[in-house]
Amino acid sequence: MIAYYSINGKITPAGQATLRLNDLSILRGYGIFDYFLVKAGKPVFIEDYLERFTRSAALLYLEIPQLSGSLEEAIEELILVNGLYEASIRLVLTGGYADDGYTPLRPNLLIMAHPYPDINPLYYTDGITLMSYDFQREIPEVKSINYLTGIRLLGELRRQGAQELLYHDRGLLRESARSNVFILTADGVLATPADKVLLGVTRKKILELAAPLVKTEERDITFEELLTAKEVYLTSTTKGIMPVVKVDHHIVGNGRPGELAPVLQDKFVAFTQTYLEQKK
Amino acid sequence: MIAYYSINGKITPAGQATLRLNDLSILRGYGIFDYFLVKAGKPVFIEDYLERFTRSAALLYLEIPQLSGSLEEAIEELILVNGLYEASIRLVLTGGYADDGYTPLRPNLLIMAHPYPDINPLYYTDGITLMSYDFQREIPEVKSINYLTGIRLLGELRRQGAQELLYHDRGLLRESARSNVFILTADGVLATPADKVLLGVTRKKILELAAPLVKTEERDITFEELLTAKEVYLTSTTKGIMPVVKVDHHIVGNGRPGELAPVLQDKFVAFTQTYLEQKK
């Protein structure tokens, strides 16, 4: 049970945590966020997430409000007052209250705690299906709150029997609505799109952990190359490494999750464990 | 002084009108809105705006909450309790509260009253400068709350000495961040982009009012054609018809507002007056 959120550093009962209607997230969808897991009471890879959050804020010219301590301390305080052991944390920085309904002045900083993500375990053992969609996210390097296209297509995803989207920019793979995408090519290279994608923290860790095992590349990947790949995965904070067995009507590899994904997943779990032990 | 807003049909003191943090506008920028003027206590062209609001909602699969009366009656009630004579009204429909932080369930309907827009009169007598920017709005036919690019560029606009943006999709004119764009071509045709733009209510009225005076066209317009235009305008609910005298470093026509703009503006004012008289 999540009892408290934090608004501009002030611990607030979750039921009373609100924004006034002239906040620029509500009026203009203007804001950024980030999202990370809490394990054993500790925020996982917090340094990476705070670095990205700070970069997103700077790219939208939003100043993170000055708190009494650091942002990391405010997060730790929220973990403590909620008594969180396994959970997730969302940071949101909005354009703030705007009398003119358009010009950011003093951003509002929200820290929200959520339950630990609950994902269908069959997705890992059986793999998932993607629905491709020609779309380039706006200001892709910023983790903005804009999910218009991803959310609008939820019904179409269900109708197609797919679990997630695969955005491509006129044939060049980009990412999923909330995940990065990787392929294991026919000749055994682990590749992920380099440009115009959100630089995921899990993406970065996987690239590092995979490097001793396989050749890795950040580069352009065409839709055609995807169709010849041996394995395809999504990676995200919530999903970890999730195998993809179908894209639209195309079967990936032999239609079953491949062999590299669980190896990388094990390495990722072990790496996370080591990180948490060092944090004690 | 605006004392009240309406949330899901409930009149609420403006200072207490809030949304909880798990609203999908705050978490995911998922929502639509519309905005119109109130003159002589009456919402101007309300039928057009409500038609567009309903269309935007349908395109994002958002159901407008059932109120005790019609949406138009709820707007009239808000005008009455605030004692508005000249003002503006904003409707916002968000994805609503989402426990999973992603899936719309029961949208929240906000009706907010604002002061009548206050625009520098020099913009009409001297004309304004636009800064061009290669950008295609996402789901352009929907009046979504997504203004990431428009707001992010506010500082750059100021530095360039420009008042508004001019979006073009790789050389094809689209619109401004909050306005449509028209040109009066070298051979005297009033033209405005047809596709991938928001269908503005003022745009529609101007096309109708101009038809007896000049040839009008809704079609593709290239950036090159803009540079040979005799006159350029922005149109919007807030601006009416606003002459443009410069785009980046290019002077429009003779660098002064042209002759057609004030003629159209007069017709638009008269048409609005007639509309209001019929509403009495």
Side-chain angles (χ1 to χ4, degrees):
Chain A
M1 189 61 200
I2 308 296
Y4 299 100
Y5 293 155
S6 160
I7 303 184
N8 297 323
K10 188 162 178 284
I11 299 289
T12 308
Q16 298 164 30
T18 59
L19 287 180
R20 295 205 306 273
L21 301 191
N22 65 332
D23 187 86
L24 284 176
S25 59
I26 298 168
L27 300 183
R28 303 291 180 176
Y30 201 77
I32 59 149
F33 80 112
D34 226 302
Y35 176 89
F36 47 86
L37 300 179
V38 173
K39 289 188 180 190
K42 294 284 173 197
V44 181
F45 309 140
I46 180 78
E47 301 79 4
D48 295 282
Y49 288 99
L50 288 185
E51 186 196 331
R52 181 171 65 186
F53 186 68
T54 306
R55 196 168 60 236
S56 292
L59 286 166
L60 288 197
Y61 308 110
L62 293 175
E63 200 171 332
I64 299 174
Q66 193 67 47
L67 308 176
S68 60
S70 69
L71 178 51
E72 188 165 351
E73 284 165 357
I75 292 163
E76 279 163 6
E77 184 187 10
L78 194 71
I79 290 173
L80 209 66
V81 296
N82 279 303
L84 304 177
Y85 188 74
E86 292 216 315
S88 61
I89 296 276
R90 184 194 307 265
L91 307 175
V92 182
L93 185 67
T94 76
Y97 299 129
D99 282 339
D100 74 351
Y102 203 67
T103 312
L105 202 59
R106 271 182 302 279
N108 281 314
L109 174 66
L110 320 175
I111 314 176
M112 305 168 75
H114 301 299
Y116 194 86
D118 181 24
I119 298 186
N120 187 341
L122 291 178
Y123 290 176
Y124 297 96
T125 52
D126 296 354
I128 62 166
T129 297
L130 305 184
M131 180 180 106
S132 71
Y133 193 75
D134 187 350
F135 175 63
Q136 173 58 60
R137 278 180 54 244
E138 183 175 343
I139 325 176
E141 61 275 26
V142 171
K143 198 166 170 75
S144 81
I145 60 171
N146 173 24
Y147 283 76
L148 277 178
T149 293
I151 293 178
R152 190 175 68 89
L153 292 173
L154 281 174
E156 185 61 21
L157 262 187
R158 266 195 303 274
R159 278 189 294 279
Q160 302 281 338
Q163 283 75 47
E164 300 287 341
L165 288 164
L166 176 59
Y167 294 145
H168 63 94
D169 186 10
R170 280 160 273 194
L172 278 186
L173 297 196
R174 294 295 185 221
E175 57 197 324
S176 184
R178 294 185 283 176
S179 313
N180 289 111
V181 63
F182 281 79
I183 68 167
L184 182 66
T185 67
D187 50 355
V189 174
L190 185 69
T192 189
D195 295 324
K196 295 168 105 178
V197 298
L198 187 75
L199 296 175
V201 173
T202 307
R203 173 187 182 277
K204 178 178 155 189
K205 301 298 179 197
I206 294 296
L207 281 171
E208 288 168 4
L209 293 169
L213 302 178
V214 290
K215 191 174 175 199
T216 62
E217 289 177 349
E218 296 176 75
R219 61 165 169 83
D220 282 351
I221 301 174
T222 63
F223 204 84
E224 286 67 40
E225 187 175 8
L226 169 83
L227 301 180
T228 66
K230 285 201 282 193
E231 303 186 15
V232 175
Y233 332 109
L234 296 187
T235 67
S236 83
T237 300
T238 306
K239 298 181 183 74
I241 302 159
M242 185 174 279
V244 173
V245 294
K246 211 171 156 195
V247 179
D248 302 332
H249 300 296
H250 308 285
I251 305 289
V252 172
N254 63 4
R256 300 289 308 159
E259 287 168 19
L260 186 59
V263 174
L264 291 175
Q265 180 75 23
D266 285 352
K267 287 194 80 166
F268 184 63
V269 169
F271 181 79
T272 306
Q273 198 53 44
T274 306
Y275 173 92
L276 290 171
E277 278 160 18
Q278 285 168 350
K279 280 275 158 176
K280 272 176 187 161
Chain B
M1 188 62 198
I2 308 297
Y4 299 101
Y5 292 156
S6 160
I7 303 184
N8 297 322
K10 189 164 178 283
I11 298 288
T12 308
Q16 297 163 32
T18 59
L19 287 180
R20 294 205 306 273
L21 300 191
N22 64 332
D23 187 86
L24 284 176
S25 59
I26 299 168
L27 301 183
R28 304 291 181 176
Y30 202 76
I32 60 149
F33 78 113
D34 227 303
Y35 177 89
F36 46 86
L37 300 179
V38 173
K39 289 187 180 190
K42 293 284 174 199
V44 181
F45 308 139
I46 181 76
E47 302 80 4
D48 296 281
Y49 289 99
L50 289 185
E51 184 196 335
R52 182 170 65 183
F53 187 68
T54 306
R55 195 167 62 236
S56 292
L59 286 167
L60 289 197
Y61 308 110
L62 293 175
E63 200 171 331
I64 299 174
Q66 192 67 47
L67 307 176
S68 61
S70 69
L71 178 51
E72 188 164 352
E73 283 165 358
I75 293 164
E76 280 164 4
E77 185 187 10
L78 193 71
I79 290 173
L80 209 66
V81 295
N82 279 303
L84 304 178
Y85 187 75
E86 292 216 313
S88 61
I89 296 276
R90 184 193 308 264
L91 307 176
V92 183
L93 185 67
T94 75
Y97 298 128
D99 283 339
D100 74 351
Y102 204 67
T103 314
L105 202 60
R106 271 183 301 280
N108 281 315
L109 174 66
L110 320 174
I111 314 176
M112 305 167 75
H114 302 299
Y116 194 85
D118 180 25
I119 297 186
N120 187 341
L122 291 178
Y123 290 176
Y124 297 96
T125 52
D126 296 354
I128 62 167
T129 297
L130 305 184
M131 179 180 104
S132 71
Y133 193 75
D134 186 350
F135 176 63
Q136 172 59 58
R137 276 179 57 244
E138 185 176 342
I139 324 175
E141 61 276 26
V142 172
K143 197 167 171 75
S144 81
I145 60 171
N146 173 25
Y147 283 76
L148 277 178
T149 294
I151 292 178
R152 190 175 67 89
L153 293 174
L154 281 174
E156 185 62 22
L157 263 187
R158 266 196 302 273
R159 277 188 294 279
Q160 302 280 340
Q163 283 74 47
E164 300 286 341
L165 288 164
L166 175 60
Y167 294 144
H168 63 95
D169 186 10
R170 279 159 276 194
L172 279 185
L173 297 197
R174 294 294 185 222
E175 56 196 325
S176 186
R178 295 185 281 176
S179 312
N180 289 112
V181 63
F182 280 79
I183 69 168
L184 182 67
T185 68
D187 51 354
V189 175
L190 185 69
T192 188
D195 295 324
K196 295 169 101 178
V197 298
L198 187 75
L199 296 175
V201 173
T202 307
R203 173 186 182 278
K204 177 179 156 189
K205 301 297 179 199
I206 293 298
L207 281 170
E208 287 168 7
L209 293 170
L213 301 178
V214 289
K215 189 173 176 200
T216 63
E217 290 176 347
E218 296 175 75
R219 60 164 169 86
D220 283 350
I221 302 174
T222 62
F223 204 84
E224 286 67 41
E225 187 174 9
L226 169 82
L227 300 181
T228 66
K230 286 200 281 193
E231 302 187 15
V232 176
Y233 332 108
L234 295 187
T235 67
S236 82
T237 300
T238 307
K239 298 180 182 74
I241 303 159
M242 186 174 282
V244 173
V245 293
K246 209 170 156 196
V247 178
D248 303 330
H249 299 295
H250 308 284
I251 304 289
V252 172
N254 62 3
R256 299 290 308 161
E259 287 168 17
L260 185 59
V263 175
L264 292 175
Q265 180 74 24
D266 285 351
K267 287 195 80 165
F268 184 63
V269 169
F271 182 79
T272 305
Q273 199 52 43
T274 306
Y275 172 92
L276 289 170
E277 277 159 17
Q278 285 167 350
K279 280 276 158 177
K280 270 176 192 163

